PDB file of all heavy atoms in Angstrom:
ATOM      1  N   GLY C 304     -10.445  -8.740  10.796  1.00 91.00           N
ATOM      2  CA  GLY C 304     -10.052  -9.720   9.788  1.00 91.00           C
ATOM      3  C   GLY C 304     -11.205 -10.387   9.088  1.00 91.00           C
ATOM      4  O   GLY C 304     -11.010 -11.390   8.397  1.00 91.00           O
ATOM      5  N   ASP C 305     -12.418  -9.840   9.213  1.00 93.00           N
ATOM      6  CA  ASP C 305     -13.578 -10.508   8.622  1.00 93.00           C
ATOM      7  C   ASP C 305     -14.008  -9.895   7.287  1.00 93.00           C
ATOM      8  O   ASP C 305     -14.881 -10.431   6.605  1.00 93.00           O
ATOM      9  CB  ASP C 305     -14.761 -10.489   9.589  1.00 93.00           C
ATOM     10  CG  ASP C 305     -15.154  -9.078  10.009  1.00 93.00           C
ATOM     11  OD1 ASP C 305     -14.322  -8.154   9.885  1.00 93.00           O
ATOM     12  OD2 ASP C 305     -16.287  -8.897  10.475  1.00 93.00           O
ATOM     13  N   ILE C 306     -13.407  -8.765   6.904  1.00 96.00           N
ATOM     14  CA  ILE C 306     -13.732  -8.120   5.632  1.00 96.00           C
ATOM     15  C   ILE C 306     -12.453  -7.861   4.859  1.00 96.00           C
ATOM     16  O   ILE C 306     -11.473  -7.330   5.411  1.00 96.00           O
ATOM     17  CB  ILE C 306     -14.498  -6.803   5.848  1.00 96.00           C
ATOM     18  CG1 ILE C 306     -15.807  -7.054   6.583  1.00 96.00           C
ATOM     19  CG2 ILE C 306     -14.774  -6.115   4.505  1.00 96.00           C
ATOM     20  CD1 ILE C 306     -16.567  -5.793   6.918  1.00 96.00           C
ATOM     21  N   LEU C 307     -12.462  -8.222   3.601  1.00 97.00           N
ATOM     22  CA  LEU C 307     -11.341  -7.997   2.704  1.00 97.00           C
ATOM     23  C   LEU C 307     -11.796  -7.087   1.576  1.00 97.00           C
ATOM     24  O   LEU C 307     -12.809  -7.338   0.930  1.00 97.00           O
ATOM     25  CB  LEU C 307     -10.841  -9.325   2.125  1.00 97.00           C
ATOM     26  CG  LEU C 307      -9.866  -9.257   0.941  1.00 97.00           C
ATOM     27  CD1 LEU C 307      -8.536  -8.641   1.375  1.00 97.00           C
ATOM     28  CD2 LEU C 307      -9.650 -10.649   0.341  1.00 97.00           C
ATOM     29  N   ALA C 308     -11.055  -6.007   1.349  1.00 97.00           N
ATOM     30  CA  ALA C 308     -11.299  -5.119   0.212  1.00 97.00           C
ATOM     31  C   ALA C 308     -10.133  -5.256  -0.753  1.00 97.00           C
ATOM     32  O   ALA C 308      -8.973  -5.267  -0.334  1.00 97.00           O
ATOM     33  CB  ALA C 308     -11.447  -3.674   0.674  1.00 97.00           C
ATOM     34  N   ALA C 309     -10.436  -5.361  -2.037  1.00 97.00           N
ATOM     35  CA  ALA C 309      -9.405  -5.543  -3.053  1.00 97.00           C
ATOM     36  C   ALA C 309      -9.639  -4.585  -4.208  1.00 97.00           C
ATOM     37  O   ALA C 309     -10.734  -4.540  -4.774  1.00 97.00           O
ATOM     38  CB  ALA C 309      -9.391  -6.989  -3.562  1.00 97.00           C
ATOM     39  N   GLY C 310      -8.612  -3.808  -4.550  1.00 96.00           N
ATOM     40  CA  GLY C 310      -8.670  -2.888  -5.671  1.00 96.00           C
ATOM     41  C   GLY C 310      -8.059  -3.516  -6.912  1.00 96.00           C
ATOM     42  O   GLY C 310      -7.146  -4.331  -6.823  1.00 96.00           O
ATOM     43  N   SER C 311      -8.562  -3.110  -8.078  1.00 95.00           N
ATOM     44  CA  SER C 311      -8.184  -3.777  -9.314  1.00 95.00           C
ATOM     45  C   SER C 311      -7.748  -2.780 -10.383  1.00 95.00           C
ATOM     46  O   SER C 311      -8.138  -1.613 -10.382  1.00 95.00           O
ATOM     47  CB  SER C 311      -9.366  -4.606  -9.828  1.00 95.00           C
ATOM     48  OG  SER C 311      -9.115  -5.109 -11.121  1.00 95.00           O
ATOM     49  N   TRP C 312      -6.962  -3.308 -11.328  1.00 93.00           N
ATOM     50  CA  TRP C 312      -6.577  -2.531 -12.498  1.00 93.00           C
ATOM     51  C   TRP C 312      -7.758  -2.335 -13.445  1.00 93.00           C
ATOM     52  O   TRP C 312      -7.660  -1.565 -14.406  1.00 93.00           O
ATOM     53  CB  TRP C 312      -5.416  -3.212 -13.220  1.00 93.00           C
ATOM     54  CG  TRP C 312      -4.096  -2.993 -12.548  1.00 93.00           C
ATOM     55  CD1 TRP C 312      -3.626  -3.625 -11.431  1.00 93.00           C
ATOM     56  CD2 TRP C 312      -3.078  -2.066 -12.931  1.00 93.00           C
ATOM     57  NE1 TRP C 312      -2.392  -3.159 -11.100  1.00 93.00           N
ATOM     58  CE2 TRP C 312      -2.012  -2.207 -12.008  1.00 93.00           C
ATOM     59  CE3 TRP C 312      -2.956  -1.142 -13.957  1.00 93.00           C
ATOM     60  CZ2 TRP C 312      -0.856  -1.440 -12.095  1.00 93.00           C
ATOM     61  CZ3 TRP C 312      -1.789  -0.400 -14.037  1.00 93.00           C
ATOM     62  CH2 TRP C 312      -0.753  -0.547 -13.115  1.00 93.00           C
ATOM     63  N   ASN C 313      -8.877  -3.026 -13.224  1.00 91.00           N
ATOM     64  CA  ASN C 313     -10.056  -2.821 -14.083  1.00 91.00           C
ATOM     65  C   ASN C 313     -11.004  -1.770 -13.511  1.00 91.00           C
ATOM     66  O   ASN C 313     -12.160  -1.688 -13.931  1.00 91.00           O
ATOM     67  CB  ASN C 313     -10.788  -4.147 -14.324  1.00 91.00           C
ATOM     68  CG  ASN C 313     -11.423  -4.723 -13.064  1.00 91.00           C
ATOM     69  OD1 ASN C 313     -11.546  -4.052 -12.048  1.00 91.00           O
ATOM     70  ND2 ASN C 313     -11.824  -5.977 -13.126  1.00 91.00           N
ATOM     71  N   ASN C 314     -10.519  -0.978 -12.532  1.00 93.00           N
ATOM     72  CA  ASN C 314     -11.230   0.164 -11.940  1.00 93.00           C
ATOM     73  C   ASN C 314     -12.209  -0.215 -10.843  1.00 93.00           C
ATOM     74  O   ASN C 314     -12.835   0.672 -10.259  1.00 93.00           O
ATOM     75  CB  ASN C 314     -11.977   0.990 -12.993  1.00 93.00           C
ATOM     76  CG  ASN C 314     -11.137   1.395 -14.178  1.00 93.00           C
ATOM     77  OD1 ASN C 314      -9.934   1.134 -14.229  1.00 93.00           O
ATOM     78  ND2 ASN C 314     -11.755   2.035 -15.156  1.00 93.00           N
ATOM     79  N   ASP C 315     -12.385  -1.510 -10.543  1.00 93.00           N
ATOM     80  CA  ASP C 315     -13.351  -1.958  -9.544  1.00 93.00           C
ATOM     81  C   ASP C 315     -12.712  -2.122  -8.170  1.00 93.00           C
ATOM     82  O   ASP C 315     -11.491  -2.284  -8.040  1.00 93.00           O
ATOM     83  CB  ASP C 315     -13.969  -3.297  -9.941  1.00 93.00           C
ATOM     84  CG  ASP C 315     -14.869  -3.204 -11.164  1.00 93.00           C
ATOM     85  OD1 ASP C 315     -15.233  -2.068 -11.539  1.00 93.00           O
ATOM     86  OD2 ASP C 315     -15.188  -4.254 -11.740  1.00 93.00           O
ATOM     87  N   VAL C 316     -13.569  -2.104  -7.133  1.00 96.00           N
ATOM     88  CA  VAL C 316     -13.192  -2.509  -5.781  1.00 96.00           C
ATOM     89  C   VAL C 316     -14.155  -3.595  -5.354  1.00 96.00           C
ATOM     90  O   VAL C 316     -15.380  -3.407  -5.408  1.00 96.00           O
ATOM     91  CB  VAL C 316     -13.254  -1.330  -4.788  1.00 96.00           C
ATOM     92  CG1 VAL C 316     -12.917  -1.809  -3.378  1.00 96.00           C
ATOM     93  CG2 VAL C 316     -12.308  -0.210  -5.209  1.00 96.00           C
ATOM     94  N   ASN C 317     -13.631  -4.750  -4.949  1.00 96.00           N
ATOM     95  CA  ASN C 317     -14.461  -5.875  -4.540  1.00 96.00           C
ATOM     96  C   ASN C 317     -14.314  -6.107  -3.045  1.00 96.00           C
ATOM     97  O   ASN C 317     -13.200  -6.072  -2.502  1.00 96.00           O
ATOM     98  CB  ASN C 317     -14.071  -7.148  -5.296  1.00 96.00           C
ATOM     99  CG  ASN C 317     -14.408  -7.049  -6.771  1.00 96.00           C
ATOM    100  OD1 ASN C 317     -15.567  -7.101  -7.156  1.00 96.00           O
ATOM    101  ND2 ASN C 317     -13.389  -6.890  -7.602  1.00 96.00           N
ATOM    102  N   LEU C 318     -15.440  -6.353  -2.376  1.00 97.00           N
ATOM    103  CA  LEU C 318     -15.470  -6.629  -0.946  1.00 97.00           C
ATOM    104  C   LEU C 318     -15.860  -8.083  -0.710  1.00 97.00           C
ATOM    105  O   LEU C 318     -16.807  -8.586  -1.324  1.00 97.00           O
ATOM    106  CB  LEU C 318     -16.467  -5.705  -0.240  1.00 97.00           C
ATOM    107  CG  LEU C 318     -16.048  -4.281   0.121  1.00 97.00           C
ATOM    108  CD1 LEU C 318     -14.976  -4.290   1.195  1.00 97.00           C
ATOM    109  CD2 LEU C 318     -15.610  -3.487  -1.089  1.00 97.00           C
TER     110      LEU C 318
END
Side-chain angles (χ1 to χ4, degrees):
D305 57 340
I306 300 176
L307 167 66
S311 171
W312 282 78
N313 67 13
N314 309 356
D315 292 346
V316 177
N317 292 288
L318 279 293

